[in-house]
C-alpha cells in the first residue's frame, strides 16, 4: 500500500527536530541511520549532542524531509522558517500538533500529522509493528 506517509520515508535526507520530550524521535533517528539515510539532528533540549544542528540556518539546503517531534516550542514556527528557505515536506509527530500547525494551509507544502513516525519505520515484530497492524486492520493506517 503506497501512500504519502510511506513515500515520505523513501527520501534520502532528513532533518529531525526534537526537544527530547518524545522518545520516538530517538528511535526515528536510529532507524533512519540504520537504513543509510542522511540524518541531521536539530536538538532544542538543554543537552544536545556534539555535532547537532544549533539553528534553522544550519540545516543544509539538500535536506528533503523534516520530522518534528517537539512539545516545548510551536512546530508551526519551524515549518514557516523552513518553508521560507524552500523546504516543503514535513512530518509532525502525533500529539505534538499545535494550533499553528492545525491552522496552517499552504498548497506549497505537505504536512503529515497525527501519526507516529515509528508506525511506518518500526520493525514488524515490535510494539510499533503491532500498532501498524492494528491501524491497518482498523483502516487508520
Amino acid at each position: 500500500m503506497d501512500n504519502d506517509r510511506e513515500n515520505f520515508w523513501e527520501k534520502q535526507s532528513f532533518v529531525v527536530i526534537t526537544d527530547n520530550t518524545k522518545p520516538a524521535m530517538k528511535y526515528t533517528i536510529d532507524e533512519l541511520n540504520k537504513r543509510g539515510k542522511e540524518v541531521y539532528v536539530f536538538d532544542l533540549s538543554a543537552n544536545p549532542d556534539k555535532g547537532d544542528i544549533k539553528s534553522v540556518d544550519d540545516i543544509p539546503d539538500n535536506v528533503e524531509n523534516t520530522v518534528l517531534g517537539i512539545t516545548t516550542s510551536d512546530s508551526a514556527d519551524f515549518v514557516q522558517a523552513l518553508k521560507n528557505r524552500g523546504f516543503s515536506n514535513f512530518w509532525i509527530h502525533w500529539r505534538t500538533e499545535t494550533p499553528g500547525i492545525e491552522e496552517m494551509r499552504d498548497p506549497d507544502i505537505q504536512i503529515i500529522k497525527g501519526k507516529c513516525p515509528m508506525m511506518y519505520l518500526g520493525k514488524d515484530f515490535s510494539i510499533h509493528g503491532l500498532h501498524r497492524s492494528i491501524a491497518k486492520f482498523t483502516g487508520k493506517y
Side-chain angles (χ1 to χ4, degrees):
M1 167 193 294
D2 269 356
N3 63 40
D4 290 340
R5 294 177 300 274
E6 288 177 344
N7 293 335
F8 185 90
W9 304 108
E10 297 302 317
K11 299 293 184 182
Q12 281 306 117
S13 58
F14 296 82
V15 63
V16 177
I17 302 175
T18 181
D19 55 15
N20 286 328
T21 60
K22 300 300 280 185
M25 300 313 293
K26 180 185 179 333
Y27 300 139
T28 299
I29 293 164
D30 291 346
E31 186 60 31
L32 289 170
N33 281 321
K34 285 179 193 171
R35 293 179 181 204
K37 307 294 182 173
E38 189 172 9
V39 181
Y40 301 93
V41 178
F42 183 0
D43 185 346
L44 303 172
S45 75
N47 299 310
D49 289 337
K50 185 177 181 178
D52 283 353
I53 291 172
K54 307 285 188 261
S55 78
V56 169
D57 294 333
D58 294 337
I59 297 171
D61 291 333
N62 68 321
V63 169
E64 297 170 282
N65 287 341
T66 302
V67 183
L68 294 104
I70 57 178
T71 61
T72 59
S73 302
D74 190 342
S75 297
D77 295 337
F78 291 94
V79 170
Q80 189 60 52
L82 289 168
K83 179 194 178 276
N84 292 343
R85 290 200 40 217
F87 292 69
S88 60
N89 297 310
F90 302 91
W91 185 295
I92 311 299
H93 189 289
W94 76 297
R95 293 192 172 173
T96 66
E97 301 91 346
T98 61
I101 287 294
E102 294 298 342
E103 294 167 7
M104 196 171 276
R105 304 282 182 269
D106 189 326
D108 295 327
I109 62 174
Q110 173 192 27
I111 298 177
I112 297 170
K113 57 188 177 183
K115 302 288 183 188
C116 175
M118 289 307 295
M119 184 184 292
Y120 297 86
L121 292 173
K123 299 193 180 348
D124 287 341
F125 297 105
S126 70
I127 191 66
H128 297 105
L130 175 63
H131 287 163
R132 179 175 41 254
S133 296
I134 293 168
K136 285 181 177 182
F137 180 75
T138 60
K140 296 180 180 179
Y141 185 73

